[in-house]
Amino acid sequence: MKFQIDKQYLLDTFRRLVEIPSPVGYYVQLNPALEQLASALGHTVTYDHKSTAYITLEGQDNSKTVLVGAHADTIGMVVRRIDKDGMIRVRQLGGVNYNSLEGDTVTIYTRDGRAYTGLMACQSHSVHVYDDARTLERNENTMMIILDHPVTCEQDVRDLGICHGDFVSPDPRCQVTQTGYLKSRFIDDKAAIACVFAMLKYIKEHDLKPKYRTILAFPYGEEIGFGGTYVPDGVSEYVAVDIGLIGPDYDGNEFSVSICAKDNSAPYDYELTNRLIGYAQKAECDYAVDIFYRYGTDGNAAVRAGNNLRSAAFGMAVYCSHGMERTHIKGLENTTNLLLAYVLDI
């Protein structure tokens, strides 16, 4: 049985979430939005000491507790140095691809709440000026932020309140085409969060209840490997909803939901992964089973941290991960259908 997902709500929620900056460790703007989305569906948000947001759903059978995680953090940067000429250098948060960032607008968020935009550029920024403009490797030692502000020296920048450790987030540049393609930074993992809320909306409107007590978690450290390391007491299954990948070794595509059988560290739980495949079939999802290299999720992070639980992972597949990503609305719909099938245990 295929669930009829509210596609407009799914898209609108994604657009809203993807415009809210949340680089690794920066939760101050996104958590209030999660509270608003949850409240509109009749739920409250709680937090742990790491500012991970949780929504808890009582089940038909509360003898078992499962957790669905969609990480709230994105790749980003922090200010590492202010040069004498006012240029700003950064350190990365997560697996940043600086080649894809060149020419993008970024925003710096100061500790006192101010925000300043700038241009992410290579220090050899022009073919008219530098012999190595085309060949210089783009990395955090050669890239810089040129502030959209009349600064000429280090002190001018400091006078704006910008200092070391300030968070930096690229412009998502979100587009949704008439043919249903989503092109944006941070589909990883804002699209998964949108799927979780679309699932909540479906459950509310159809007066349904999860099979088991279900915790929805939105952690802020997945991109650096520790988002799932803390798990609330009693959880026996951790299902990470995260992007799938597209490439020569993979069967997944932008229209299907990818079930990850193994990431870069270990296989996911055999029995739970089998169940997900069965749920995908029952919910009439277009799906693929793949193994992903140079990839990990909060599910296996939870296992590596020593938690006594099963883990699994699935999500919409994207092109150009950690860059300007692309997927299709059908991939989000299939992901939401599989999520509903798992939570409801159809």
Side-chain angles (χ1 to χ4, degrees):
M1 179 190 76
K2 200 171 187 70
F3 302 100
Q4 297 304 308
I5 308 302
D6 186 337
K7 183 166 70 173
Q8 192 60 54
Y9 176 85
L10 185 56
L11 282 173
D12 290 346
T13 303
F14 169 71
R15 284 193 184 103
R16 177 180 178 182
L17 292 169
V18 84
E19 294 292 341
I20 301 171
S22 59
V24 176
Y26 183 75
Y27 47 79
V28 294
Q29 295 193 45
L30 185 58
N31 275 350
L34 296 178
E35 291 180 18
Q36 291 167 7
L37 287 166
S39 177
L41 296 173
H43 300 285
T44 58
V45 174
T46 60
Y47 298 98
D48 62 22
H49 294 304
K50 295 196 294 184
S51 294
T52 297
Y54 298 99
I55 299 171
T56 301
L57 310 175
E58 295 305 311
Q60 302 172 44
D61 177 1
N62 286 332
S63 66
K64 176 179 175 178
T65 301
V66 302
L67 185 146
V68 172
H71 68 88
D73 60 313
T74 68
I75 57 171
M77 295 155 285
V78 292
V79 174
R80 99 183 208 230
R81 187 179 84 211
I82 304 169
D83 289 345
K84 298 301 182 185
D85 59 0
M87 301 299 175
I88 294 173
R89 306 289 181 144
V90 298
R91 292 285 188 210
Q92 68 184 33
L93 295 170
V96 172
N97 179 355
Y98 285 100
N99 291 287
S100 79
L101 278 179
E102 186 171 9
D104 266 11
T105 293
V106 298
T107 303
I108 300 172
Y109 298 94
T110 68
R111 294 284 170 172
D112 60 5
R114 286 178 278 180
Y116 298 98
T117 62
L119 176 70
M120 180 62 72
C122 180
Q123 62 191 28
S124 295
H125 54 79
S126 172
V127 296
H128 296 104
V129 180
Y130 298 96
D131 290 338
D132 62 351
R134 291 188 176 93
T135 59
L136 185 65
E137 182 181 352
R138 272 55 174 171
N139 57 43
E140 62 184 27
N141 294 318
T142 62
M143 299 296 285
M144 61 188 184
I145 298 172
I146 307 171
L147 276 180
D148 298 331
H149 209 83
V151 297
T152 59
C153 64
E154 178 184 358
Q155 192 57 49
D156 286 347
V157 177
R158 294 191 180 277
D159 288 344
L160 297 173
I162 295 172
C163 63
H164 295 176
D166 286 345
F167 286 94
V168 181
S169 185
D171 188 331
R173 293 199 283 135
C174 178
Q175 302 174 54
V176 180
T177 72
Q178 291 185 344
T179 48
Y181 289 95
L182 283 64
K183 297 187 291 185
S184 180
R185 294 193 182 280
F186 315 137
I187 291 174
D188 177 13
D189 203 24
K190 298 296 178 64
I193 300 177
C195 291
V196 171
F197 278 98
M199 177 269 292
L200 280 175
K201 185 173 186 289
Y202 186 96
I203 287 175
K204 175 181 173 62
E205 291 179 344
H206 292 80
D207 196 25
L208 298 172
K209 207 170 190 180
K211 174 68 173 180
Y212 302 108
R213 184 171 182 263
T214 301
I215 299 174
L216 310 175
F218 308 97
Y220 283 90
E222 190 276 343
E223 296 293 359
I224 54 175
F226 69 74
T229 52
Y230 170 75
V231 179
D233 291 341
V235 171
S236 61
E237 296 179 1
Y238 195 125
V239 173
V241 186
D242 209 333
I243 60 166
L245 306 177
I246 295 172
D249 289 343
Y250 310 138
D251 287 338
N253 58 69
E254 296 170 283
F255 305 95
S256 62
V257 55
S258 293
I259 299 171
C260 182
K262 179 191 178 299
D263 65 15
N264 65 349
S265 65
Y268 286 88
D269 182 77
Y270 182 82
E271 188 274 334
L272 180 52
T273 300
N274 277 0
R275 269 196 280 138
L276 289 179
I277 293 169
Y279 291 136
Q281 293 168 348
K282 290 177 183 177
E284 302 176 23
C285 296
D286 294 324
Y287 75 95
V289 180
D290 278 319
I291 66 170
F292 297 138
Y293 181 53
R294 298 192 185 93
Y295 173 98
T297 75
D298 284 332
N300 265 357
V303 173
R304 289 196 305 274
N307 293 286
N308 182 25
L309 49 74
R310 304 175 187 269
S311 68
F314 66 85
M316 68 297 301
V318 304
Y319 277 105
C320 310
S321 59
H322 283 199
M324 270 297 295
E325 297 163 340
R326 196 186 83 161
T327 191
H328 195 274
I329 184 59
K330 288 187 180 298
L332 276 67
E333 290 180 288
N334 278 303
T335 298
T336 307
N337 264 270
L338 179 51
L339 185 54
L340 276 162
Y342 169 70
V343 168
L344 298 173
D345 190 30
I346 63 167

